[in-house]
Amino acid sequence: MMKTMKWILPVLLLGVTATASAQVEDSTEVSENVVPAKVVAKGYNRIQLDYVGTWWTGSDTGFGGSKFRNDAAVTKDKDLFWGFDFGYLRGIRLVKNLPLYVEVGATMVYSSIDNTESNPEMASGEDQCDVTVRALSFEVPVFLTYRFNFAHNIHLAPYIGAKFRANAMMKLAYVRSTRGEKFETNDLFSTESYTVDGEEYTSKYRRFQACGEVGVNFGWKALNLKVAYFYNSNIYKGDSPLGELNCGQQGVIAGVGVEF
């Protein structure tokens, strides 16, 4: 009997081992078949360079020592800043069987405006001066995007999301048009008030903003084209002889990028 058990036990162990091995192989094969490899795609990276046109909206925008008057603005009640942004985005797939992604990254934004307005030292407007504002900001975008894939490596990807902006620099300079001399330069973030006709008014610019953006990317192979609209929360709040001032931002983006 013992001799028989000596032969039976090794055979049983061999059978159990073979069965377990087969089950592991079967489970591995099933798990691979549940989600085909062609559906599980990796994310992507994109470097983007865009033109940015920004409208500062407000009936009488305070610039910490001056007021952009309606008759001096590019369009009535709006001041147009031109600029560009340069950034990096990483697309991370959210669902294995859908081309749904979240895009996160970092962007640098530069913007500028050149205008003509009344000399802030002479509210009557008898003397004119050129006004230049330069601004530098950094953004962290978080977008939700869906990619419609077509033949020949073409895709269309509408998106919507938010951007968190930190304004690093915003400087204003006055130059008299008649004499060509610079007579004042202000760091707008350090300006807390300005004076008109002997009266002092509060003037406050925001370092941090929450922004919304909606747009679409068109891709062909490594090339990416982008158009978008954005809206930023109030960047300015202050007082003026006409009452309280609030200034927001909105604008358009158009640019080109490389995806890899």
Side-chain angles (χ1 to χ4, degrees), residues 8-247:
I8 293 177
L9 286 176
V11 172
L12 289 175
L13 289 173
L14 182 60
V16 171
T17 303
T19 303
S21 177
Q23 288 178 347
V24 170
E25 291 177 1
D26 290 342
S27 64
T28 303
E29 184 177 355
V30 170
S31 64
E32 289 178 350
N33 291 333
V34 170
V35 182
K38 64 180 180 180
V39 177
V40 183
K42 295 182 179 180
Y44 54 88
N45 304 282
R46 185 164 68 246
I47 296 175
Q48 192 81 21
L49 178 64
D50 305 316
Y51 168 83
V52 182
T54 306
W55 287 268
W56 285 44
T57 60
S59 59
D60 198 11
T61 306
F63 269 118
S66 74
K67 300 192 303 299
F68 268 57
R69 302 178 182 279
N70 293 341
D71 58 358
V74 176
T75 58
K76 187 174 178 61
D77 296 338
K78 294 182 179 180
D79 296 319
L80 173 63
F81 282 67
W82 67 268
F84 66 89
D85 68 36
F86 179 75
Y88 164 81
L89 282 169
R90 170 66 180 173
I92 304 171
R93 194 156 195 164
L94 295 179
V95 184
K96 289 184 178 181
N97 57 351
L98 286 176
L100 183 66
Y101 297 83
V102 61
E103 294 182 340
V104 295
T107 305
M108 180 190 72
V109 186
Y110 174 83
S111 57
S112 171
I113 186 172
D114 296 283
N115 213 330
T116 300
E117 67 172 48
S118 298
N119 184 342
E121 296 178 350
M122 301 181 64
S124 61
E126 296 177 359
D127 189 13
Q128 298 290 310
C129 69
D130 295 329
V131 179
T132 299
V133 180
R134 303 285 185 260
L136 180 66
S137 306
F138 297 92
E139 295 177 340
V140 176
V142 181
F143 299 142
L144 185 66
T145 181
Y146 191 95
R147 293 166 70 103
F148 295 93
N149 298 307
F150 304 97
H152 308 295
N153 295 316
I154 296 174
H155 71 264
L156 193 67
Y159 70 90
I160 187 171
K163 298 185 294 186
F164 303 94
R165 170 180 283 197
N167 296 307
M169 180 198 75
M170 192 179 300
K171 292 188 176 181
L172 173 148
Y174 296 109
V175 178
R176 294 183 192 273
S177 299
T178 56
R179 304 173 188 173
E181 64 175 291
K182 181 185 294 186
F183 67 92
E184 187 175 357
T185 299
N186 291 340
D187 178 359
L188 296 180
F189 290 114
S190 65
T191 302
E192 298 183 354
S193 65
Y194 65 96
T195 302
V196 176
D197 296 331
E199 294 289 332
E200 188 173 6
Y201 300 93
T202 61
S203 177
K204 186 64 176 178
Y205 287 83
R206 300 179 187 271
R207 284 282 189 182
F208 301 97
Q209 294 175 273
C211 320
E213 182 173 315
V214 59
V216 61
N217 288 290
F218 172 80
W220 177 65
K221 295 184 178 180
L223 177 67
N224 186 83
L225 303 178
K226 169 185 174 180
V227 291
Y229 166 83
F230 66 90
Y231 177 81
N232 296 350
S233 62
N234 284 352
I235 189 172
Y236 176 83
K237 184 176 182 179
D239 296 317
S240 79
L242 302 178
E244 185 178 276
L245 299 177
N246 288 283
C247 185

